[in-house]
Amino acid sequence: MELIQYAFNNIELLGTRTLEHISLVSVAVGIATLTGVPIGIAITRNETVARTVLYIASIIITIPSIALFGIMIPILSTIGQGIGYVPAVIAVLLYSQLPIIRNTYTAINNVDPALREAARGIGMSANQRLRMVEIPLAVPVIMAGVRTAVVLNIGVMAIAAYIGAGGLGTFISRGISQSDPRQLIVGAVAVSLLAIIVDYSLLALQKRLTPKGLERAASSP
Amino acid sequence: MIRLDNLTKVFDTPKGAVVAADHISMEVPRGEICVLLGPSGCGKTTTLKMINRIVRPTSGKVFINDEDTSGLNTQELRRNIGYVIQQIGLFPNMTIEENITAVPRLLGWDAKRYKERAREMMAMIAMEPDAFLKRYPSELSGGQQQRIGVARALAADPPVMLMDEPFGAIDPINRAVIQDEFLKMQQDLKKTIMFVSHDIDEAIKMGDRVAIFREGKLVQYSTPDDLLAAPKNAFVESFLGEDRALKRLNLVKVREVMSHEIGTVTPDDSLETALQRIDDYGYQNAIVMINDRQRPTGMITRAIARTTKGYCRDHFQGIPAAVHLDDDLRKVASLMFSNDMTWLPCVDDDERIMGQITQRAITHHLGSRHRVAEHSVADQNTGV
């Protein structure tokens, strides 16, 4: 009861923090999609490169976020951005690479070889094949990668409050430092709810972006 | 016309170089279907795929309508060759219309023209445009999908088509239907077609010529009838099967074998006349009775003619079957076996009697071609 009372009294702040959180994650994952998808496509051309890139991306994702922020402080301080918005976005950007690159790579690689041969055989160039056949077929899997990245990084972004990036993590960090369980719990619940809601919205978007012909194939046994 | 000049493909594998196609030289005349036939791994598919550079030739040249294709840009070359594969390969993200018009769109046709073309193609493959054009491949049956696959290959009206086991994934009943439809279309379209198959019956049915491959080499290239009558060596012979003479039954028409000489009686002839004619013509069992429009309406058996008095019109029996001049011998043989007949009357489009066909004549026709072929092979051998 006390919690609901607290949340209600601070509804405006809660809204602002939520918007901050969403904007941080969407900017970072947005940029990550713009870089990850082309990288994922590019590495389908060469298996050795693909393995190296995926390996590096896997290593990055294993670095604890708090350590990553720590590493970035001295580096980004040289341009006066040691803490705050910029390192938060960069961290999320890096963590998003693996799910997005891996899903894109897998999706493009898994396009039925017969379709690829048909596309070559009727005279499509490599770019036309990508644009007209391979990417449309890969969209559902690429979108699944983006969803994973978003949900993962809504959690990561909560920790970015410690480097002053704002967002819902602020409630949690204050809750801990001020020994105030109300702030802590409201922050944690808000982060979880945000992750669930965003995941479902992106699922709806994924369904809309899936080519119609594939939808039917998937729904009929 | 497709001409291959010493086309060769060597694959580098961990176990060393493998020659998949070894100096293949052959020519498919304009408007004909050439079937490449052989066991798996014989080089037939590699040879086909070198024509549109899905497989890059190690050496040798491909000419299409006397033009050396090595000078052409790969995409341009492929857009001018219809390509049909066994897995069909319709793009699942595109509607039927988008699939059919893929090549015209690549070639930059305007929307009005390619949409019209899609409707033409649907008419050609006998599918209702309004019912299907806006649907997706996953909503169609396998047979319908392969018809669309053929339509896609033909949409930009290429002079040449390559078909890689196009009907291999379709069930036998639908396959026969689609083969027949395709042959009918080909009569009007007159495309120059290379067609890969591993099915000897399909090769004989579809091919104007058949090329037999073995271990990367072209072993024999001839018309289906010559192939079956005169296999070049033991490999071809065993590949064709021991029933190859029976397979020839499909290829020979009644008109090639029938005898125009046939004795007949009319309903108004007496049985005495009938017996006389049976003896004159040397028939064993019976003679055909025809009506005033020359149509066979019955037969008079020797037994009846000898033992009974009266007119033919009162004592004839039905004829179990008659065959058309353009029927193939397979049908004739089947009718003979099922009706226990050693001969059948032959009729034209108006069902008028034109002659008769006998088991003896069929046996003789198939046998004589064998003997001629063997002689010519023997002559060549002595010549060398």
Side-chain angles (χ1 to χ4, degrees):
Chain A
M1 210 56 219
E2 209 183 342
L3 283 174
I4 297 169
Q5 187 69 42
Y6 176 83
F8 202 72
N9 289 342
N10 294 281
I11 193 77
E12 212 171 300
L13 184 63
L14 202 57
T16 319
R17 294 294 187 217
T18 307
L19 285 179
E20 269 176 21
H21 209 101
I22 292 174
S23 103
L24 279 163
V25 173
S26 45
V27 167
V29 177
I31 298 172
T33 308
L34 293 180
T35 56
V37 172
I39 292 174
I41 292 169
I43 61 175
T44 55
R45 308 282 165 93
N46 185 319
E47 213 180 307
T48 319
V49 175
R51 247 178 301 161
T52 316
V53 169
L54 289 173
Y55 190 63
I56 295 170
S58 308
I59 290 177
I60 290 175
I61 213 166
T62 60
I63 303 173
S65 48
I66 205 85
L68 190 59
F69 292 133
I71 297 165
M72 280 192 291
I73 290 171
I75 301 171
L76 290 174
S77 291
T78 54
I79 53 164
Q81 300 285 350
I83 55 166
Y85 190 82
V86 175
V89 167
I90 290 178
V92 169
L93 185 70
L94 290 174
Y95 286 140
S96 301
Q97 294 301 316
L98 182 68
I100 295 175
I101 294 178
R102 191 179 49 201
N103 278 35
T104 306
Y105 171 76
T106 312
I108 299 280
N109 249 3
N110 282 357
V111 169
D112 183 353
L115 287 180
R116 200 168 281 137
E117 186 179 325
R120 286 171 70 203
I122 67 170
M124 287 187 188
S125 67
N127 286 335
Q128 285 165 333
R129 283 205 308 272
L130 269 177
R131 190 162 45 81
M132 298 171 76
V133 182
E134 291 169 358
I135 293 180
L137 294 179
V139 158
V141 183
I142 295 177
M143 273 304 294
V146 172
R147 267 171 61 209
T148 309
V150 167
V151 173
L152 174 79
N153 285 305
I154 284 177
V156 169
M157 200 51 96
I159 298 167
Y162 280 104
I163 54 163
L168 289 167
T170 323
F171 287 104
I172 300 172
S173 62
R174 291 216 180 122
I176 293 170
S177 60
Q178 297 170 8
S179 301
D180 179 0
R182 291 176 314 172
Q183 289 193 55
L184 179 67
I185 295 172
V186 165
V189 170
V191 169
S192 308
L193 280 178
L194 182 63
I196 293 169
I197 292 165
V198 169
D199 191 35
Y200 274 98
S201 329
L202 287 175
L203 184 64
L205 179 66
Q206 176 181 335
K207 282 189 176 153
R208 279 194 60 183
L209 290 176
T210 302
K212 272 193 192 130
L214 294 186
E215 226 169 63
R216 293 207 178 94
S219 61
S220 66
Chain B
M1 185 210 72
I2 305 171
R3 184 153 61 86
L4 311 183
D5 180 18
N6 283 308
L7 207 55
T8 300
K9 179 68 193 182
V10 182
F11 285 112
D12 286 319
T13 67
K15 288 179 196 159
V18 173
V19 183
D22 190 359
H23 296 87
I24 306 295
S25 295
M26 59 191 289
E27 184 174 325
V28 187
R30 187 187 293 263
E32 289 198 0
I33 300 179
C34 164
V35 179
L36 309 183
L37 184 67
S40 56
C42 67
K44 57 190 194 295
T45 304
T46 306
T47 302
L48 183 88
K49 289 183 178 178
M50 281 193 281
I51 297 170
N52 65 353
R53 291 192 212 148
I54 295 287
V55 174
R56 218 159 253 289
T58 307
S59 66
K61 283 186 171 167
V62 177
F63 295 84
I64 292 179
N65 294 339
D66 282 321
E67 188 188 3
D68 181 356
T69 60
S70 53
L72 296 175
N73 158 290
T74 302
Q75 264 91 50
E76 204 179 317
L77 171 75
R78 288 176 182 160
R79 288 170 195 172
N80 286 301
I81 298 177
Y83 191 44
V84 184
I85 57 176
Q86 182 181 357
Q87 307 89 330
I88 309 177
L90 294 183
F91 305 123
N93 56 317
M94 298 185 192
T95 60
I96 299 306
E97 181 173 41
E98 288 167 335
N99 268 288
I100 293 180
T101 58
V103 183
R105 285 185 292 138
L106 291 173
L107 290 169
W109 292 18
D110 63 64
K112 188 168 169 285
R113 186 169 163 218
Y114 70 65
K115 279 177 190 289
E116 210 168 285
R117 184 64 179 159
R119 302 188 81 84
E120 278 173 36
M121 295 313 300
M122 291 300 276
M124 189 186 287
I125 57 172
M127 283 172 74
E128 182 54 49
D130 294 314
F132 287 103
L133 279 178
K134 295 297 170 206
R135 293 169 79 174
Y136 286 90
S138 57
E139 300 171 274
L140 270 56
S141 72
Q144 288 171 332
Q145 288 189 25
Q146 193 52 289
R147 284 186 182 86
I148 302 296
V150 171
R152 177 175 67 184
L154 286 167
D157 202 17
V160 166
M161 276 181 87
L162 305 178
M163 307 178 84
D164 184 8
E165 302 204 20
F167 310 131
I170 300 168
D171 66 89
I173 294 170
N174 270 312
R175 188 188 311 150
V177 173
I178 295 185
Q179 284 170 341
D180 291 336
E181 285 176 2
F182 186 77
L183 285 175
K184 220 167 133 194
M185 271 162 55
Q186 167 66 358
Q187 282 181 355
D188 300 327
L189 295 171
K190 301 227 183 310
K191 301 290 179 195
T192 309
I193 298 170
M194 273 233 196
F195 186 116
V196 165
S197 178
H198 62 257
D199 176 359
I200 167 79
D201 294 311
E202 181 175 62
I204 291 165
K205 180 174 181 182
M206 304 300 288
D208 296 301
R209 285 153 198 271
V210 177
I212 305 260
F213 281 72
R214 183 197 191 188
E215 290 169 3
K217 288 196 168 69
L218 176 58
V219 181
Q220 182 166 5
Y221 183 41
S222 48
T223 64
D225 198 37
D226 284 344
L227 184 74
L228 291 168
K232 208 168 177 178
N233 58 29
F235 166 74
V236 178
E237 212 172 316
S238 75
F239 189 76
L240 297 175
E242 283 172 346
D243 61 343
R244 64 192 158 90
L246 290 181
K247 292 188 165 89
R248 285 186 65 210
L249 292 174
N250 284 325
L251 298 169
V252 184
K253 300 263 182 273
V254 165
R255 60 170 80 242
E256 296 170 52
V257 183
M258 73 165 197
S259 147
H260 288 281
E261 197 186 271
I262 179 168
T264 55
V265 291
T266 63
D268 295 332
D269 286 327
S270 68
L271 288 175
E272 208 174 325
T273 317
L275 183 61
Q276 183 72 45
R277 293 227 178 113
I278 291 173
D279 287 337
D280 286 351
Y281 280 96
Y283 295 154
Q284 281 187 326
N285 304 322
I287 190 162
V288 176
M289 183 180 82
I290 55 171
N291 66 10
D292 52 355
R293 284 187 294 183
Q294 302 283 306
R295 292 180 180 171
T297 51
M299 63 182 188
I300 307 294
T301 62
R302 177 186 281 275
I304 298 257
R306 206 172 48 208
T307 56
T308 320
K309 297 255 176 274
Y311 289 96
C312 293
R313 61 174 170 266
D314 300 322
H315 296 283
F316 69 89
Q317 294 177 2
I319 293 183
V323 291
H324 189 270
L325 295 181
D326 288 322
D327 283 338
D328 62 41
L329 293 191
R330 189 185 169 86
K331 179 179 171 187
V332 178
S334 171
L335 284 171
M336 282 178 174
F337 294 155
S338 54
N339 292 302
D340 192 18
M341 297 278 283
T342 56
W343 60 277
L344 287 170
C346 311
V347 297
D348 66 4
D349 289 335
D350 296 326
E351 286 173 36
R352 285 178 309 195
I353 189 137
M354 300 304 288
Q356 61 164 344
I357 185 163
T358 62
Q359 269 184 15
R360 240 193 112 67
I362 295 174
T363 321
H364 185 74
H365 182 87
L366 298 179
S368 66
R369 281 299 304 274
H370 273 297
R371 279 191 292 279
V372 169
E374 271 158 29
H375 276 300
S376 64
V377 170
D379 290 347
Q380 277 170 11
N381 287 347
T382 51
V384 174

